[in-house]
Amino acid sequence: MSDFSHGLRVYWEDTDAGGVVFYANYLKFFERARTEWLRALGFEQEQLRVEGGAMFIVGSTSVRYLSPARLDDFLHVSVRLTERGRVSMTLFQQARRASDGALLAEGEIRIGCVNSHSFKPTRIPAPILQALDTHATPLLPVTTQE
């Protein structure tokens, strides 16, 4: 599957006292991009939870921080599926500054599907698996403003 990209702006709430993005906030940026990626595939997470009884949870993360993002930077956060199983998937994500393309952070995120009531592992819903297997064309960015 081709990379999906989600654009977002860095606000004060994302930074430390020096105006630099706080390291943990890259995980928030990655989460937002994954949510928009699923939405672009046609799946709303709340609908999936309420109607389908399934939800995605993060099982593990590995993040490298390479260069700081700063207040007011516009970022492109990408999502690329690297591995897909029946109950989990691994995604490679990057955050880049839009103005110069500088790679700021990258990480591998493993997410699993669980039953929304019992929190026990469950199969990823078949429509999502089908969408993952058949999407071979790039998805358009959800946010295109800069």
Side-chain angles (χ1 to χ4, degrees), residues 43-79:
F43 305 99
E44 300 282 338
Q45 291 200 63
E46 182 63 2
Q47 183 178 13
L48 184 66
R49 184 185 69 81
V50 171
E51 295 176 12
M55 55 191 268
F56 290 106
I57 61 168
V58 173
S60 65
T61 63
S62 174
V63 180
R64 290 184 343 130
Y65 302 97
L66 303 160
S67 186
R70 299 181 185 278
L71 179 64
D72 288 331
D73 280 350
F74 191 82
L75 310 181
H76 291 290
V77 182
S78 64
V79 179

PDB file of all heavy atoms in Angstrom, residues 43-79:
ATOM      1  N   PHE A  43     -13.483   3.997   7.021  1.00  0.00           N
ATOM      2  CA  PHE A  43     -13.828   3.448   8.333  1.00  0.00           C
ATOM      3  C   PHE A  43     -13.677   4.494   9.423  1.00  0.00           C
ATOM      4  O   PHE A  43     -12.619   5.093   9.580  1.00  0.00           O
ATOM      5  CB  PHE A  43     -12.955   2.233   8.647  1.00  0.00           C
ATOM      6  CG  PHE A  43     -13.031   1.188   7.582  1.00  0.00           C
ATOM      7  CD1 PHE A  43     -12.047   1.098   6.618  1.00  0.00           C
ATOM      8  CD2 PHE A  43     -14.118   0.329   7.519  1.00  0.00           C
ATOM      9  CE1 PHE A  43     -12.126   0.151   5.610  1.00  0.00           C
ATOM     10  CE2 PHE A  43     -14.215  -0.618   6.518  1.00  0.00           C
ATOM     11  CZ  PHE A  43     -13.212  -0.705   5.553  1.00  0.00           C
ATOM     12  N   GLU A  44     -14.745   4.700  10.174  1.00  0.00           N
ATOM     13  CA  GLU A  44     -14.746   5.595  11.327  1.00  0.00           C
ATOM     14  C   GLU A  44     -14.528   4.742  12.577  1.00  0.00           C
ATOM     15  O   GLU A  44     -15.251   3.760  12.793  1.00  0.00           O
ATOM     16  CB  GLU A  44     -16.080   6.329  11.439  1.00  0.00           C
ATOM     17  CG  GLU A  44     -16.429   7.174  10.238  1.00  0.00           C
ATOM     18  CD  GLU A  44     -15.689   8.491  10.218  1.00  0.00           C
ATOM     19  OE1 GLU A  44     -15.232   8.947  11.289  1.00  0.00           O
ATOM     20  OE2 GLU A  44     -15.561   9.053   9.116  1.00  0.00           O
ATOM     21  N   GLN A  45     -13.576   5.124  13.408  1.00  0.00           N
ATOM     22  CA  GLN A  45     -13.263   4.289  14.570  1.00  0.00           C
ATOM     23  C   GLN A  45     -14.403   4.199  15.578  1.00  0.00           C
ATOM     24  O   GLN A  45     -14.641   3.140  16.147  1.00  0.00           O
ATOM     25  CB  GLN A  45     -11.980   4.781  15.235  1.00  0.00           C
ATOM     26  CG  GLN A  45     -10.771   4.520  14.352  1.00  0.00           C
ATOM     27  CD  GLN A  45      -9.493   4.535  15.125  1.00  0.00           C
ATOM     28  OE1 GLN A  45      -9.288   3.702  16.000  1.00  0.00           O
ATOM     29  NE2 GLN A  45      -8.623   5.471  14.804  1.00  0.00           N
ATOM     30  N   GLU A  46     -15.120   5.279  15.794  1.00  0.00           N
ATOM     31  CA  GLU A  46     -16.226   5.233  16.753  1.00  0.00           C
ATOM     32  C   GLU A  46     -17.345   4.333  16.232  1.00  0.00           C
ATOM     33  O   GLU A  46     -17.928   3.553  16.999  1.00  0.00           O
ATOM     34  CB  GLU A  46     -16.753   6.638  17.044  1.00  0.00           C
ATOM     35  CG  GLU A  46     -17.870   6.681  18.055  1.00  0.00           C
ATOM     36  CD  GLU A  46     -17.496   6.187  19.458  1.00  0.00           C
ATOM     37  OE1 GLU A  46     -16.336   5.823  19.725  1.00  0.00           O
ATOM     38  OE2 GLU A  46     -18.403   6.147  20.316  1.00  0.00           O
ATOM     39  N   GLN A  47     -17.628   4.409  14.950  1.00  0.00           N
ATOM     40  CA  GLN A  47     -18.643   3.539  14.359  1.00  0.00           C
ATOM     41  C   GLN A  47     -18.209   2.073  14.452  1.00  0.00           C
ATOM     42  O   GLN A  47     -19.008   1.199  14.763  1.00  0.00           O
ATOM     43  CB  GLN A  47     -18.895   3.937  12.912  1.00  0.00           C
ATOM     44  CG  GLN A  47     -19.981   3.146  12.248  1.00  0.00           C
ATOM     45  CD  GLN A  47     -20.234   3.606  10.824  1.00  0.00           C
ATOM     46  OE1 GLN A  47     -19.462   4.351  10.241  1.00  0.00           O
ATOM     47  NE2 GLN A  47     -21.333   3.154  10.260  1.00  0.00           N
ATOM     48  N   LEU A  48     -16.941   1.843  14.200  1.00  0.00           N
ATOM     49  CA  LEU A  48     -16.388   0.491  14.309  1.00  0.00           C
ATOM     50  C   LEU A  48     -16.557  -0.049  15.733  1.00  0.00           C
ATOM     51  O   LEU A  48     -16.941  -1.195  15.941  1.00  0.00           O
ATOM     52  CB  LEU A  48     -14.912   0.524  13.917  1.00  0.00           C
ATOM     53  CG  LEU A  48     -14.156  -0.771  13.856  1.00  0.00           C
ATOM     54  CD1 LEU A  48     -14.700  -1.659  12.736  1.00  0.00           C
ATOM     55  CD2 LEU A  48     -12.677  -0.495  13.594  1.00  0.00           C
ATOM     56  N   ARG A  49     -16.318   0.814  16.721  1.00  0.00           N
ATOM     57  CA  ARG A  49     -16.437   0.407  18.120  1.00  0.00           C
ATOM     58  C   ARG A  49     -17.884   0.149  18.505  1.00  0.00           C
ATOM     59  O   ARG A  49     -18.218  -0.891  19.079  1.00  0.00           O
ATOM     60  CB  ARG A  49     -15.846   1.475  19.037  1.00  0.00           C
ATOM     61  CG  ARG A  49     -15.849   1.090  20.516  1.00  0.00           C
ATOM     62  CD  ARG A  49     -15.368   2.227  21.398  1.00  0.00           C
ATOM     63  NE  ARG A  49     -16.305   3.337  21.427  1.00  0.00           N
ATOM     64  CZ  ARG A  49     -17.400   3.372  22.200  1.00  0.00           C
ATOM     65  NH1 ARG A  49     -17.692   2.362  22.988  1.00  0.00           N
ATOM     66  NH2 ARG A  49     -18.190   4.421  22.184  1.00  0.00           N
ATOM     67  N   VAL A  50     -18.774   1.086  18.165  1.00  0.00           N
ATOM     68  CA  VAL A  50     -20.166   0.996  18.590  1.00  0.00           C
ATOM     69  C   VAL A  50     -20.927  -0.082  17.813  1.00  0.00           C
ATOM     70  O   VAL A  50     -21.616  -0.911  18.406  1.00  0.00           O
ATOM     71  CB  VAL A  50     -20.867   2.368  18.436  1.00  0.00           C
ATOM     72  CG1 VAL A  50     -22.363   2.253  18.665  1.00  0.00           C
ATOM     73  CG2 VAL A  50     -20.255   3.374  19.392  1.00  0.00           C
ATOM     74  N   GLU A  51     -20.785  -0.074  16.501  1.00  0.00           N
ATOM     75  CA  GLU A  51     -21.580  -0.985  15.673  1.00  0.00           C
ATOM     76  C   GLU A  51     -20.909  -2.341  15.461  1.00  0.00           C
ATOM     77  O   GLU A  51     -21.587  -3.349  15.346  1.00  0.00           O
ATOM     78  CB  GLU A  51     -21.881  -0.341  14.323  1.00  0.00           C
ATOM     79  CG  GLU A  51     -22.765   0.885  14.433  1.00  0.00           C
ATOM     80  CD  GLU A  51     -22.974   1.579  13.109  1.00  0.00           C
ATOM     81  OE1 GLU A  51     -22.625   1.017  12.050  1.00  0.00           O
ATOM     82  OE2 GLU A  51     -23.478   2.719  13.135  1.00  0.00           O
ATOM     83  N   GLY A  52     -19.586  -2.342  15.405  1.00  0.00           N
ATOM     84  CA  GLY A  52     -18.889  -3.589  15.119  1.00  0.00           C
ATOM     85  C   GLY A  52     -18.276  -4.265  16.324  1.00  0.00           C
ATOM     86  O   GLY A  52     -17.813  -5.403  16.246  1.00  0.00           O
ATOM     87  N   GLY A  53     -18.245  -3.545  17.454  1.00  0.00           N
ATOM     88  CA  GLY A  53     -17.690  -4.131  18.665  1.00  0.00           C
ATOM     89  C   GLY A  53     -16.190  -4.336  18.630  1.00  0.00           C
ATOM     90  O   GLY A  53     -15.644  -5.134  19.384  1.00  0.00           O
ATOM     91  N   ALA A  54     -15.507  -3.607  17.738  1.00  0.00           N
ATOM     92  CA  ALA A  54     -14.051  -3.763  17.613  1.00  0.00           C
ATOM     93  C   ALA A  54     -13.373  -2.409  17.726  1.00  0.00           C
ATOM     94  O   ALA A  54     -13.944  -1.370  17.372  1.00  0.00           O
ATOM     95  CB  ALA A  54     -13.704  -4.403  16.270  1.00  0.00           C
ATOM     96  N   MET A  55     -12.159  -2.432  18.231  1.00  0.00           N
ATOM     97  CA  MET A  55     -11.362  -1.208  18.295  1.00  0.00           C
ATOM     98  C   MET A  55      -9.884  -1.561  18.213  1.00  0.00           C
ATOM     99  O   MET A  55      -9.487  -2.691  18.492  1.00  0.00           O
ATOM    100  CB  MET A  55     -11.676  -0.399  19.551  1.00  0.00           C
ATOM    101  CG  MET A  55     -11.544  -1.145  20.844  1.00  0.00           C
ATOM    102  SD  MET A  55     -12.241  -0.239  22.237  1.00  0.00           S
ATOM    103  CE  MET A  55     -10.817   0.645  22.811  1.00  0.00           C
ATOM    104  N   PHE A  56      -9.112  -0.564  17.796  1.00  0.00           N
ATOM    105  CA  PHE A  56      -7.671  -0.758  17.670  1.00  0.00           C
ATOM    106  C   PHE A  56      -6.968  -0.172  18.879  1.00  0.00           C
ATOM    107  O   PHE A  56      -7.305   0.917  19.348  1.00  0.00           O
ATOM    108  CB  PHE A  56      -7.144  -0.095  16.399  1.00  0.00           C
ATOM    109  CG  PHE A  56      -7.575  -0.792  15.146  1.00  0.00           C
ATOM    110  CD1 PHE A  56      -8.539  -0.241  14.329  1.00  0.00           C
ATOM    111  CD2 PHE A  56      -7.026  -2.020  14.796  1.00  0.00           C
ATOM    112  CE1 PHE A  56      -8.946  -0.886  13.173  1.00  0.00           C
ATOM    113  CE2 PHE A  56      -7.418  -2.678  13.638  1.00  0.00           C
ATOM    114  CZ  PHE A  56      -8.388  -2.109  12.826  1.00  0.00           C
ATOM    115  N   ILE A  57      -5.975  -0.914  19.379  1.00  0.00           N
ATOM    116  CA  ILE A  57      -5.147  -0.436  20.482  1.00  0.00           C
ATOM    117  C   ILE A  57      -3.683  -0.573  20.086  1.00  0.00           C
ATOM    118  O   ILE A  57      -3.322  -1.420  19.283  1.00  0.00           O
ATOM    119  CB  ILE A  57      -5.425  -1.203  21.795  1.00  0.00           C
ATOM    120  CG1 ILE A  57      -5.117  -2.695  21.620  1.00  0.00           C
ATOM    121  CG2 ILE A  57      -6.855  -0.982  22.263  1.00  0.00           C
ATOM    122  CD1 ILE A  57      -5.085  -3.469  22.919  1.00  0.00           C
ATOM    123  N   VAL A  58      -2.860   0.281  20.651  1.00  0.00           N
ATOM    124  CA  VAL A  58      -1.427   0.224  20.379  1.00  0.00           C
ATOM    125  C   VAL A  58      -0.804  -0.844  21.263  1.00  0.00           C
ATOM    126  O   VAL A  58      -0.998  -0.855  22.480  1.00  0.00           O
ATOM    127  CB  VAL A  58      -0.764   1.596  20.630  1.00  0.00           C
ATOM    128  CG1 VAL A  58       0.747   1.497  20.517  1.00  0.00           C
ATOM    129  CG2 VAL A  58      -1.313   2.630  19.651  1.00  0.00           C
ATOM    130  N   GLY A  59      -0.054  -1.733  20.620  1.00  0.00           N
ATOM    131  CA  GLY A  59       0.630  -2.799  21.350  1.00  0.00           C
ATOM    132  C   GLY A  59       2.083  -2.468  21.620  1.00  0.00           C
ATOM    133  O   GLY A  59       2.622  -2.815  22.667  1.00  0.00           O
ATOM    134  N   SER A  60       2.716  -1.774  20.663  1.00  0.00           N
ATOM    135  CA  SER A  60       4.112  -1.392  20.860  1.00  0.00           C
ATOM    136  C   SER A  60       4.464  -0.236  19.933  1.00  0.00           C
ATOM    137  O   SER A  60       3.833  -0.038  18.891  1.00  0.00           O
ATOM    138  CB  SER A  60       5.055  -2.573  20.605  1.00  0.00           C
ATOM    139  OG  SER A  60       4.996  -2.962  19.248  1.00  0.00           O
ATOM    140  N   THR A  61       5.457   0.501  20.357  1.00  0.00           N
ATOM    141  CA  THR A  61       5.971   1.614  19.559  1.00  0.00           C
ATOM    142  C   THR A  61       7.492   1.629  19.638  1.00  0.00           C
ATOM    143  O   THR A  61       8.079   1.233  20.651  1.00  0.00           O
ATOM    144  CB  THR A  61       5.461   2.987  20.048  1.00  0.00           C
ATOM    145  OG1 THR A  61       5.943   3.213  21.368  1.00  0.00           O
ATOM    146  CG2 THR A  61       3.946   3.064  20.035  1.00  0.00           C
ATOM    147  N   SER A  62       8.079   2.087  18.572  1.00  0.00           N
ATOM    148  CA  SER A  62       9.514   2.338  18.536  1.00  0.00           C
ATOM    149  C   SER A  62       9.688   3.610  17.719  1.00  0.00           C
ATOM    150  O   SER A  62       9.356   3.634  16.537  1.00  0.00           O
ATOM    151  CB  SER A  62      10.247   1.173  17.865  1.00  0.00           C
ATOM    152  OG  SER A  62      11.610   1.484  17.716  1.00  0.00           O
ATOM    153  N   VAL A  63      10.148   4.671  18.367  1.00  0.00           N
ATOM    154  CA  VAL A  63      10.224   5.972  17.712  1.00  0.00           C
ATOM    155  C   VAL A  63      11.646   6.509  17.772  1.00  0.00           C
ATOM    156  O   VAL A  63      12.315   6.409  18.798  1.00  0.00           O
ATOM    157  CB  VAL A  63       9.255   6.984  18.374  1.00  0.00           C
ATOM    158  CG1 VAL A  63       9.324   8.344  17.696  1.00  0.00           C
ATOM    159  CG2 VAL A  63       7.829   6.458  18.355  1.00  0.00           C
ATOM    160  N   ARG A  64      12.087   7.071  16.648  1.00  0.00           N
ATOM    161  CA  ARG A  64      13.377   7.785  16.583  1.00  0.00           C
ATOM    162  C   ARG A  64      13.086   9.261  16.359  1.00  0.00           C
ATOM    163  O   ARG A  64      12.293   9.617  15.482  1.00  0.00           O
ATOM    164  CB  ARG A  64      14.224   7.277  15.418  1.00  0.00           C
ATOM    165  CG  ARG A  64      14.757   5.893  15.613  1.00  0.00           C
ATOM    166  CD  ARG A  64      15.688   5.414  14.503  1.00  0.00           C
ATOM    167  NE  ARG A  64      15.641   6.155  13.264  1.00  0.00           N
ATOM    168  CZ  ARG A  64      16.717   6.646  12.619  1.00  0.00           C
ATOM    169  NH1 ARG A  64      17.920   6.472  13.107  1.00  0.00           N
ATOM    170  NH2 ARG A  64      16.583   7.284  11.485  1.00  0.00           N
ATOM    171  N   TYR A  65      13.747  10.105  17.151  1.00  0.00           N
ATOM    172  CA  TYR A  65      13.579  11.549  17.040  1.00  0.00           C
ATOM    173  C   TYR A  65      14.833  12.101  16.381  1.00  0.00           C
ATOM    174  O   TYR A  65      15.935  11.914  16.884  1.00  0.00           O
ATOM    175  CB  TYR A  65      13.370  12.157  18.428  1.00  0.00           C
ATOM    176  CG  TYR A  65      12.171  11.551  19.127  1.00  0.00           C
ATOM    177  CD1 TYR A  65      12.327  10.517  20.041  1.00  0.00           C
ATOM    178  CD2 TYR A  65      10.889  11.989  18.839  1.00  0.00           C
ATOM    179  CE1 TYR A  65      11.233   9.939  20.659  1.00  0.00           C
ATOM    180  CE2 TYR A  65       9.789  11.421  19.450  1.00  0.00           C
ATOM    181  CZ  TYR A  65       9.973  10.391  20.360  1.00  0.00           C
ATOM    182  OH  TYR A  65       8.887   9.829  20.982  1.00  0.00           O
ATOM    183  N   LEU A  66      14.649  12.793  15.263  1.00  0.00           N
ATOM    184  CA  LEU A  66      15.792  13.190  14.458  1.00  0.00           C
ATOM    185  C   LEU A  66      16.048  14.689  14.416  1.00  0.00           C
ATOM    186  O   LEU A  66      17.191  15.124  14.325  1.00  0.00           O
ATOM    187  CB  LEU A  66      15.605  12.652  13.029  1.00  0.00           C
ATOM    188  CG  LEU A  66      15.411  11.128  13.004  1.00  0.00           C
ATOM    189  CD1 LEU A  66      14.753  10.693  11.717  1.00  0.00           C
ATOM    190  CD2 LEU A  66      16.741  10.455  13.195  1.00  0.00           C
ATOM    191  N   SER A  67      14.988  15.472  14.429  1.00  0.00           N
ATOM    192  CA  SER A  67      15.124  16.926  14.345  1.00  0.00           C
ATOM    193  C   SER A  67      13.855  17.532  14.939  1.00  0.00           C
ATOM    194  O   SER A  67      12.776  16.957  14.795  1.00  0.00           O
ATOM    195  CB  SER A  67      15.293  17.344  12.881  1.00  0.00           C
ATOM    196  OG  SER A  67      15.554  18.715  12.778  1.00  0.00           O
ATOM    197  N   PRO A  68      13.965  18.699  15.583  1.00  0.00           N
ATOM    198  CA  PRO A  68      12.775  19.238  16.256  1.00  0.00           C
ATOM    199  C   PRO A  68      11.803  19.946  15.316  1.00  0.00           C
ATOM    200  O   PRO A  68      12.197  20.642  14.389  1.00  0.00           O
ATOM    201  CB  PRO A  68      13.365  20.241  17.250  1.00  0.00           C
ATOM    202  CG  PRO A  68      14.633  20.700  16.615  1.00  0.00           C
ATOM    203  CD  PRO A  68      15.164  19.491  15.873  1.00  0.00           C
ATOM    204  N   ALA A  69      10.516  19.732  15.584  1.00  0.00           N
ATOM    205  CA  ALA A  69       9.472  20.567  14.984  1.00  0.00           C
ATOM    206  C   ALA A  69       9.243  21.712  15.955  1.00  0.00           C
ATOM    207  O   ALA A  69       9.442  21.563  17.165  1.00  0.00           O
ATOM    208  CB  ALA A  69       8.196  19.769  14.788  1.00  0.00           C
ATOM    209  N   ARG A  70       8.840  22.846  15.407  1.00  0.00           N
ATOM    210  CA  ARG A  70       8.666  24.039  16.240  1.00  0.00           C
ATOM    211  C   ARG A  70       7.278  24.632  16.061  1.00  0.00           C
ATOM    212  O   ARG A  70       6.563  24.305  15.116  1.00  0.00           O
ATOM    213  CB  ARG A  70       9.734  25.070  15.896  1.00  0.00           C
ATOM    214  CG  ARG A  70      11.144  24.551  16.143  1.00  0.00           C
ATOM    215  CD  ARG A  70      12.206  25.603  15.826  1.00  0.00           C
ATOM    216  NE  ARG A  70      13.534  25.062  15.963  1.00  0.00           N
ATOM    217  CZ  ARG A  70      14.177  24.945  17.119  1.00  0.00           C
ATOM    218  NH1 ARG A  70      13.617  25.339  18.232  1.00  0.00           N
ATOM    219  NH2 ARG A  70      15.397  24.437  17.162  1.00  0.00           N
ATOM    220  N   LEU A  71       6.948  25.521  16.967  1.00  0.00           N
ATOM    221  CA  LEU A  71       5.683  26.229  16.929  1.00  0.00           C
ATOM    222  C   LEU A  71       5.417  26.776  15.526  1.00  0.00           C
ATOM    223  O   LEU A  71       6.314  27.358  14.909  1.00  0.00           O
ATOM    224  CB  LEU A  71       5.705  27.376  17.948  1.00  0.00           C
ATOM    225  CG  LEU A  71       4.457  28.238  18.025  1.00  0.00           C
ATOM    226  CD1 LEU A  71       3.266  27.411  18.505  1.00  0.00           C
ATOM    227  CD2 LEU A  71       4.697  29.422  18.926  1.00  0.00           C
ATOM    228  N   ASP A  72       4.204  26.564  15.033  1.00  0.00           N
ATOM    229  CA  ASP A  72       3.710  27.038  13.730  1.00  0.00           C
ATOM    230  C   ASP A  72       4.198  26.236  12.534  1.00  0.00           C
ATOM    231  O   ASP A  72       3.772  26.512  11.412  1.00  0.00           O
ATOM    232  CB  ASP A  72       3.993  28.530  13.500  1.00  0.00           C
ATOM    233  CG  ASP A  72       3.123  29.425  14.367  1.00  0.00           C
ATOM    234  OD1 ASP A  72       1.992  29.010  14.710  1.00  0.00           O
ATOM    235  OD2 ASP A  72       3.575  30.537  14.700  1.00  0.00           O
ATOM    236  N   ASP A  73       5.091  25.260  12.723  1.00  0.00           N
ATOM    237  CA  ASP A  73       5.476  24.410  11.593  1.00  0.00           C
ATOM    238  C   ASP A  73       4.238  23.661  11.095  1.00  0.00           C
ATOM    239  O   ASP A  73       3.371  23.277  11.881  1.00  0.00           O
ATOM    240  CB  ASP A  73       6.513  23.356  12.008  1.00  0.00           C
ATOM    241  CG  ASP A  73       7.930  23.888  12.097  1.00  0.00           C
ATOM    242  OD1 ASP A  73       8.170  25.030  11.659  1.00  0.00           O
ATOM    243  OD2 ASP A  73       8.795  23.154  12.621  1.00  0.00           O
ATOM    244  N   PHE A  74       4.181  23.447   9.787  1.00  0.00           N
ATOM    245  CA  PHE A  74       3.161  22.579   9.210  1.00  0.00           C
ATOM    246  C   PHE A  74       3.849  21.261   8.893  1.00  0.00           C
ATOM    247  O   PHE A  74       4.901  21.242   8.258  1.00  0.00           O
ATOM    248  CB  PHE A  74       2.546  23.195   7.950  1.00  0.00           C
ATOM    249  CG  PHE A  74       1.325  22.453   7.479  1.00  0.00           C
ATOM    250  CD1 PHE A  74       0.085  22.681   8.054  1.00  0.00           C
ATOM    251  CD2 PHE A  74       1.420  21.505   6.478  1.00  0.00           C
ATOM    252  CE1 PHE A  74      -1.040  21.979   7.649  1.00  0.00           C
ATOM    253  CE2 PHE A  74       0.305  20.801   6.051  1.00  0.00           C
ATOM    254  CZ  PHE A  74      -0.928  21.042   6.639  1.00  0.00           C
ATOM    255  N   LEU A  75       3.265  20.161   9.359  1.00  0.00           N
ATOM    256  CA  LEU A  75       3.876  18.850   9.214  1.00  0.00           C
ATOM    257  C   LEU A  75       3.041  17.941   8.320  1.00  0.00           C
ATOM    258  O   LEU A  75       1.827  18.073   8.253  1.00  0.00           O
ATOM    259  CB  LEU A  75       4.015  18.170  10.580  1.00  0.00           C
ATOM    260  CG  LEU A  75       4.665  18.954  11.714  1.00  0.00           C
ATOM    261  CD1 LEU A  75       4.729  18.104  12.977  1.00  0.00           C
ATOM    262  CD2 LEU A  75       6.026  19.465  11.319  1.00  0.00           C
ATOM    263  N   HIS A  76       3.728  17.029   7.672  1.00  0.00           N
ATOM    264  CA  HIS A  76       3.081  15.934   6.964  1.00  0.00           C
ATOM    265  C   HIS A  76       3.454  14.667   7.717  1.00  0.00           C
ATOM    266  O   HIS A  76       4.633  14.358   7.879  1.00  0.00           O
ATOM    267  CB  HIS A  76       3.551  15.837   5.510  1.00  0.00           C
ATOM    268  CG  HIS A  76       3.084  16.966   4.665  1.00  0.00           C
ATOM    269  ND1 HIS A  76       1.764  17.125   4.296  1.00  0.00           N
ATOM    270  CD2 HIS A  76       3.745  18.011   4.123  1.00  0.00           C
ATOM    271  CE1 HIS A  76       1.643  18.201   3.562  1.00  0.00           C
ATOM    272  NE2 HIS A  76       2.825  18.761   3.451  1.00  0.00           N
ATOM    273  N   VAL A  77       2.435  13.951   8.186  1.00  0.00           N
ATOM    274  CA  VAL A  77       2.654  12.718   8.935  1.00  0.00           C
ATOM    275  C   VAL A  77       2.141  11.569   8.072  1.00  0.00           C
ATOM    276  O   VAL A  77       0.965  11.531   7.703  1.00  0.00           O
ATOM    277  CB  VAL A  77       1.938  12.756  10.300  1.00  0.00           C
ATOM    278  CG1 VAL A  77       2.222  11.482  11.082  1.00  0.00           C
ATOM    279  CG2 VAL A  77       2.367  13.990  11.091  1.00  0.00           C
ATOM    280  N   SER A  78       3.043  10.655   7.750  1.00  0.00           N
ATOM    281  CA  SER A  78       2.691   9.566   6.836  1.00  0.00           C
ATOM    282  C   SER A  78       2.399   8.272   7.583  1.00  0.00           C
ATOM    283  O   SER A  78       2.825   8.074   8.720  1.00  0.00           O
ATOM    284  CB  SER A  78       3.814   9.333   5.821  1.00  0.00           C
ATOM    285  OG  SER A  78       4.991   8.899   6.479  1.00  0.00           O
ATOM    286  N   VAL A  79       1.669   7.405   6.887  1.00  0.00           N
ATOM    287  CA  VAL A  79       1.323   6.081   7.395  1.00  0.00           C
ATOM    288  C   VAL A  79       1.575   5.097   6.259  1.00  0.00           C
ATOM    289  O   VAL A  79       1.091   5.294   5.152  1.00  0.00           O
ATOM    290  CB  VAL A  79      -0.167   5.986   7.806  1.00  0.00           C
ATOM    291  CG1 VAL A  79      -0.505   4.589   8.301  1.00  0.00           C
ATOM    292  CG2 VAL A  79      -0.524   7.034   8.828  1.00  0.00           C
TER     293      VAL A  79
END
